[in-house]
Amino acid sequence: MKKYVITAAATLLMAAFTAPTALNVRKEVTDAGRQLVLADQARKGTDRIPHSTKPDGSANDRETSWWTSGFFPGNLWYVYEYTKDPKYRKLAEKWTAPLEKEQYNTRTHDLGFMLYCSYGNGYRLTKNPKYRDIMIQGANSLASRFDPKVGVIKSWDKFGTYNYPVIIDNMMNLEFLFWASKATGDPSFRKIAVTHADNTMKNHFRADNSSFHVVCYNPDGSVAAQKTHQGAADESAWARGQAWGLYGYTVMYRETKDKRYLTQAQKIADYFLSHSNLPEDKIPYWDFNRPNEERDASAGAITASALLELSQYSKAKQKTYVQAAEKMLQSLSSASYKAKLGDNNQFVLQHSVGHKPGKSEIDVPLVYADYYFIEGLMRYEKVKAGKRLFI
Ligand code: GLY
């Protein structure tokens, strides 16, 4: 008998003809919660954190020092926030605890992702003073990677022959520094965030408002090179990078009310939404310059969540941003992206791309796609109810 192999591309092509249903936030968050409970049950006796799927189909759980370790506990905190079910709080506390040692980790810029999504959400919801102490130490560790002569936080210690690489993703760690300034009364964290955002705005963006993934700096703060690591080419627009930039500058505006950041976020949003390669369901290909290759659900989820916040700062574009976010969340909630309960190594969403040029994590679940999906759903409900997301 002839065997038919259904490829990821064919699955998505078929999915394009499946009209997404109306968004039911309560159902989606409840379904996500069920999936998280199953993820916990499938991982007894380990403190490795759910991250993705390996090429052989088994779960790819990672050590707490991996940059995504904060998202799984963050997912549980969000579902607890939404449902108020104490079972999720217990699980969130359990999966947050192993990250405690990362407060001293000075080898990564990703402490915002790691500690703010886990301890940050936990502190916001419980006011546990221990969580606050861990975060303040973590913010100091993150700030230690800022060199005032260069004017940016160093992302990695090395990138090829370059010694001071900064990736656009780093914009996502600034929210944590704003929190630290408010918590301690020390303005230096905030100053670092503002300086980093200003230099990133100057050096990471092209004339069309897309961004480079990696900018490598000289010791005097001048630019040595503009490159990519996870995008298709140095000059291409890696989809998740555009999403990180959009989210990051939206947060910058929230925290400073400086109109330059609002304009930057709007320019990124407009680049993303008006791109001729953005598919009908509004979930981008993994790189805007690689149409018809794999989609990246994570970029769609991050963008949806960011657009919902940005809509509240953008009167003229409010409707456009909310409608685009709604479409993205509808697409992600449809069977084209959302996994069946218990499948997909118990991740909520399918079809993300981690690092295609590195031949890794291509068309897989990624825990941070789930995080921004759940966050986006919760934001969507509030936005539709006319509530402010942030004061
Ligand atoms: N921060 C790494 C990534 O977005 O894949």
Side-chain angles (χ1 to χ4, degrees), residues 171-189:
M171 286 300 301
M172 297 297 287
N173 295 307
L174 306 184
E175 189 176 6
F176 184 34
L177 295 178
F178 282 105
W179 174 85
S181 265
K182 284 181 268 191
T184 60
D186 176 353
S188 64
F189 298 106

Side-chain angles (χ1 to χ4, degrees), residues 67 109-110 113 156 167 169-170 213 230 238 240-241 244 298 302 353-355 361 366 368:
W67 74 277
H109 70 127
D110 279 324
F113 282 132
W156 307 318
I167 58 176
D169 326 27
N170 207 332
H213 183 203
Q230 283 157 272
W238 174 51
R240 196 162 53 254
W244 291 142
S298 76
I302 297 157
V353 173
H355 187 183
E361 299 177 346
L366 287 168
Y368 43 97

Side-chain angles (χ1 to χ4, degrees), residues 126-337:
T126 67
K127 294 289 175 277
N128 179 343
K130 186 177 169 192
Y131 286 7
R132 181 184 182 278
D133 293 346
I134 290 168
M135 282 201 290
I136 289 169
Q137 175 55 49
N140 276 297
S141 297
L142 173 57
S144 76
R145 296 185 66 82
F146 178 79
D147 179 342
K149 288 192 290 304
V150 189
V152 274
I153 300 164
K154 188 194 273 200
S155 295
W156 307 318
D157 290 341
K158 201 120 186 105
F159 178 61
T161 56
Y162 300 102
N163 294 321
Y164 209 113
V166 176
I167 58 176
I168 188 68
D169 326 27
N170 207 332
M171 286 300 301
M172 297 297 287
N173 295 307
L174 306 184
E175 189 176 6
F176 184 34
L177 295 178
F178 282 105
W179 174 85
S181 265
K182 284 181 268 191
T184 60
D186 176 353
S188 64
F189 298 106
R190 177 189 172 92
K191 241 174 105 186
I192 291 173
V194 166
T195 309
H196 181 96
D198 286 350
N199 285 319
T200 298
M201 201 151 81
K202 203 161 71 193
N203 298 320
H204 255 91
F205 289 89
R206 309 183 181 106
D208 67 358
N209 303 313
S210 67
S211 55
F212 293 100
H213 183 203
V214 191
V215 174
C216 305
Y217 285 88
N218 294 311
D220 64 356
S222 59
V223 173
Q226 291 162 313
K227 313 287 274 181
T228 199
H229 179 55
Q230 283 157 272
D234 291 345
E235 290 300 327
S236 75
W238 174 51
R240 196 162 53 254
Q242 313 315 303
W244 291 142
L246 170 64
Y247 196 115
Y249 281 98
T250 304
V251 170
M252 285 306 298
Y253 179 68
R254 180 207 307 160
E255 294 294 341
T256 64
K257 296 291 173 284
D258 183 333
K259 283 266 164 33
R260 292 176 308 126
Y261 300 137
L262 177 60
T263 305
Q264 188 64 45
Q266 290 166 335
K267 284 181 184 171
I268 303 169
D270 296 348
Y271 172 86
F272 196 108
L273 297 178
S274 64
H275 202 290
S276 56
N277 290 339
L278 185 66
E280 191 65 24
D281 69 0
K282 297 213 186 304
I283 306 303
Y285 297 104
W286 71 279
D287 189 296
F288 279 98
N289 297 85
R290 288 292 179 275
N292 306 316
E293 293 190 5
E294 295 80 6
R295 304 295 188 87
D296 181 13
S298 76
I302 297 157
T303 302
S305 185
L307 285 174
L308 287 165
E309 180 176 2
L310 188 59
S311 76
Q312 298 202 320
Y313 311 140
S314 315
K315 254 205 177 99
K317 290 279 181 127
Q318 184 175 27
K319 211 166 146 195
T320 309
Y321 294 162
V322 173
Q323 281 177 350
E326 180 180 59
K327 179 76 182 174
M328 289 168 184
L329 293 173
Q330 275 175 343
S331 300
L332 295 173
S333 308
S334 75
S336 309
Y337 294 92

